[in-house]
Amino acid sequence: LHAALGAALVERGQLAAGVAALERSVQLDPASGEARNNLATALTEVNRTPEALSHFAAALRLRPGVASTHYNFGNALLSVGRASEAIAQQEQALVLLPDFSLARCALAQAQLAAGRVEPAIGNFHAALRHQPDLVAAHFGLANALAQAGRHAEAIPHYETALRTAPNAVDAHYFLGNALLAVDRPADAVQRYAAALELKPDFAEAHHYLGKALAQLGRTGEAIVHYETALRLRPEFTASRSNLEAL
């Protein structure tokens, strides 16, 4: 009863009440792997991820061999900066379910966080072969390619992600960075402007918009954005240096 009630409340967006019901479910049946997994998943949704980790681990002890639990556990581990452990969980999910595109993408994200850029690129590509419309994989692949200095290859993946998620601030911003890296400052200006329309206090976007404008000879506008970046982040030394150089 408590498990069903908790799941229903979480599904309706009543997260606090849902978590309370799921906690009661675990108290009543601590040996239920399903109850532990459901509670752990709900805890991640209310930003109680450190508490969720022990329940994910218990769920796998009590009910081993469930790919989705490994996947959710891996995502939780990555969110608290434990990338190596996240990799192990996603790899186990893929042993159990080799065509699990979300787990393949999550493995790549964890590898990228761990600095393993080339394996991440390979796994993002593999995820997209199975699920070509997976936005997270396009965005992640673009980030990985950009980190590898392959900015021209990154650009179409950022653009694909933005066609599905046009309000993704980071995708606009990182696309701007990639465009700037391939000497397309006019196009970069458009992307930074789009990012700032969605998030006006984005200091880094103001900084790089200033840089792109300066490259286009639009010095007065560049100064405004460098000054805004410094107002938002007074310790932003790159903006201060670029402003002084104009």
Side-chain angles (χ1 to χ4, degrees), residues 138 141-146 150-159 175 178:
H138 281 289
L141 177 56
N143 287 338
L145 289 166
R150 295 159 61 179
H151 301 285
E153 294 173 70
I155 287 168
H157 291 287
Y158 284 128
E159 290 172 337
L175 174 54

Side-chain angles (χ1 to χ4, degrees), residues 7-244:
L9 289 167
V10 169
E11 188 173 348
R12 292 203 299 264
Q14 297 174 247
L15 298 178
V19 166
L22 290 168
E23 286 175 327
R24 182 58 177 157
S25 173
V26 167
Q27 289 170 359
L28 293 170
D29 188 5
S32 169
E34 182 178 6
R36 295 273 191 167
N37 178 67
N38 291 344
L39 172 57
T41 302
L43 286 169
T44 64
E45 294 187 37
V46 294
N47 298 316
R48 292 169 58 185
T49 301
E51 296 172 66
L53 299 179
S54 62
H55 290 291
F56 278 129
L60 287 169
R61 286 194 303 270
L62 294 164
R63 192 177 61 157
V66 180
S68 61
T69 303
H70 284 288
Y71 167 71
N72 290 331
F73 191 14
N75 287 341
L77 287 163
L78 184 59
S79 75
V80 295
R82 293 163 62 175
S84 296
E85 294 166 85
I87 288 169
Q89 292 300 324
Q90 302 302 352
E91 287 176 335
Q92 187 57 41
L94 288 163
V95 168
L96 295 164
L97 201 59
D99 292 339
F100 192 172
S101 299
L102 291 175
R104 183 73 62 185
C105 180
L107 170 59
Q109 289 167 333
Q111 289 172 326
L112 190 59
R116 296 168 57 182
V117 178
E118 290 304 323
I121 289 172
N123 278 306
F124 281 127
H125 276 300
L128 288 169
R129 282 195 295 273
H130 286 290
Q131 193 173 337
D133 60 348
L134 186 56
V135 173
H138 281 289
F139 182 59
L141 177 56
N143 287 338
L145 289 166
Q147 283 194 31
R150 295 159 61 179
H151 301 285
E153 294 173 70
I155 287 168
H157 291 287
Y158 284 128
E159 290 172 337
T160 298
L162 282 166
R163 280 195 291 272
T164 303
N167 292 330
V169 175
D170 286 346
H172 285 291
Y173 169 70
F174 286 120
L175 174 54
N177 290 352
L179 290 164
L180 202 56
V182 298
D183 197 27
R184 292 171 56 184
D187 293 326
V189 165
Q190 295 179 19
R191 294 302 102 218
Y192 294 132
L196 289 168
E197 186 173 343
L198 294 163
K199 186 180 178 183
D201 61 349
F202 192 170
E204 289 79 1
H206 280 288
H207 169 79
Y208 282 101
L209 177 52
K211 186 174 181 179
L213 289 165
Q215 288 184 15
L216 293 167
R218 296 162 61 180
T219 305
E221 295 169 84
I223 288 170
V224 170
H225 287 285
Y226 283 138
E227 289 176 339
T228 302
L230 284 166
R231 187 175 67 253
L232 293 166
R233 277 186 52 196
E235 76 285 3
F236 206 150
T237 56
S239 278
R240 191 173 305 282
S241 297
N242 289 3
L243 184 59
E244 290 171 353

